[in-house]
Amino acid sequence: MERRKFIQSSLITTSALAAGQLSFAGVIKAAKKELYEWREYELHFGGNHNIFHQYLEKALIPALNKQGIKNVGVFGEIGKSDPAKIYVLIAYPSFEDYMPVNNKLKSDEEFIKSSAAYVQVPAEKPLYNRIKTSLLVAFDGLPAMKLPGKGQRIFEVRTYEGYSEDAVRRKIKMFNDEEFTIFYRTKLNPVFFGEAIAGDALPCLTYMLHFSSMEERDRNWAAFSADADWKRVLADPQYANTVSNIRRVFLEPLPYSQI
């Protein structure tokens, strides 16, 4: 009798553990979020920028597309900075895909061949000064990038720095629980929202919006600022002091950008 009870109990426990593992696996699968690599190239004055753009258009983007990275964005600044900067957005399906994709590029013969001119640039004629790279994990409220429609568009990229990790955590909660709804209502059209896990000026978050024109952008931000829900959320003590500095840049897509 005791042995029978023990066997029954063991079976129940095993079933419960299996169910728990399946449930946990389901949570992990449901929680899968994109990883964004945000690159900022500071171009070298006098460098052969045609080689640089040929590398992005004819080598890097096709190689990433072959590895399942469907949409790679390439942008230039509106109002041209000096030195010129080019921004590249790469959206990986998840954090776990980052290393496998980049490792496969190293052995991709077609990519290596099409990158030859870029790789063989001499030291006295560099294409860029430095590359700044950030890795960003998508928010729960926007786990995958939203592609803008075709036609004329501009992009606004904002980085919100926080005085502490908790400040950024609370700001992300503010977006997930409150602000996304207001953004959609006032037509602040999101492309991506990401929490920086590596990069410059941590702790911080970065997001990208798109508009058809600067006039539409100004009009929609004014509607957001006047929104009653936004004023309520802004006054909520739990979200006080979440942003210590804001950096902003306006971009336009290059002709070969996939975003």
Side-chain angles (χ1 to χ4, degrees):
M1 180 67 72
E2 292 299 324
R3 184 172 181 275
R4 186 183 305 163
K5 289 182 179 179
F6 173 76
I7 292 173
Q8 290 175 338
S9 176
S10 298
L11 289 172
I12 292 170
T13 302
T14 303
S15 298
L17 286 172
Q21 289 173 344
L22 288 173
S23 176
F24 183 64
V27 170
I28 292 175
K29 186 175 181 180
K32 187 173 181 179
K33 298 180 290 187
E34 288 183 333
L35 176 77
Y36 305 113
E37 184 179 1
W38 181 245
R39 299 183 187 177
E40 177 186 320
Y41 291 84
E42 184 181 88
L43 299 185
H44 185 78
F45 181 77
N48 189 333
H49 297 164
N50 286 334
I51 292 178
F52 174 77
H53 288 292
Q54 284 291 311
Y55 164 72
L56 293 180
E57 181 181 6
K58 304 298 184 181
L60 182 62
I61 291 177
L64 288 169
N65 290 164
K66 189 164 68 174
Q67 296 302 326
I69 309 301
K70 297 179 180 178
N71 299 287
V72 180
V74 185
F75 312 91
E77 291 188 343
I78 296 175
K80 314 307 181 200
S81 62
D82 188 17
K85 293 179 181 178
I86 297 297
Y87 299 81
V88 176
L89 174 62
I90 305 170
Y92 300 86
S94 71
F95 177 84
E96 290 77 15
D97 293 296
Y98 176 78
M99 285 306 299
V101 167
N102 283 278
N103 284 335
K104 287 176 182 177
L105 292 186
K106 295 175 184 177
S107 59
D108 184 332
E109 293 184 5
E110 187 176 350
F111 173 61
I112 293 170
K113 182 179 179 180
S114 58
S115 302
Y118 176 81
V119 172
Q120 294 167 9
V121 166
E124 65 272 15
K125 295 182 179 180
L127 301 180
Y128 57 82
N129 299 322
R130 290 289 89 188
I131 307 171
K132 291 182 180 179
T133 299
S134 296
L135 294 179
L136 310 152
V137 175
F139 286 12
D140 290 341
L142 192 65
M145 182 170 58
K146 295 176 71 70
L147 291 175
K150 302 296 183 182
Q152 178 67 31
R153 59 201 185 281
I154 63 169
F155 296 87
E156 180 175 2
V157 177
R158 288 189 168 208
T159 295
Y160 288 176
E161 299 172 7
Y163 78 94
S164 70
E165 293 92 331
D166 181 67
V168 173
R169 179 192 64 78
R170 289 184 289 115
K171 183 59 183 175
I172 292 171
K173 181 179 185 298
M174 188 177 180
F175 273 115
N176 284 329
D177 294 352
E178 303 280 2
E179 284 191 79
F180 278 133
T181 300
I182 308 170
F183 267 50
Y184 289 126
R185 185 166 64 242
T186 57
K187 297 183 180 180
L188 298 180
N189 310 306
V191 177
F192 77 87
F193 278 71
E195 176 183 7
I197 58 173
D200 190 35
L202 298 177
C204 65
L205 63 89
T206 295
Y207 66 91
M208 173 184 275
L209 307 174
H210 70 90
F211 305 94
S212 62
S213 65
M214 193 63 75
E215 290 75 20
E216 181 190 63
R217 179 262 174 200
D218 293 344
R219 185 169 61 251
N220 295 358
W221 269 114
F224 175 84
S225 298
D227 188 271
D229 276 346
W230 166 240
K231 292 179 179 179
R232 172 187 57 78
V233 172
L234 190 61
D236 192 328
Q238 68 173 312
Y239 301 129
N241 302 313
T242 55
V243 179
S244 57
N245 185 46
I246 297 176
R247 289 181 282 127
R248 182 181 66 190
V249 63
F250 294 103
L251 305 175
E252 56 189 355
L254 297 191
Y256 58 88
S257 176
Q258 297 178 328
I259 298 176

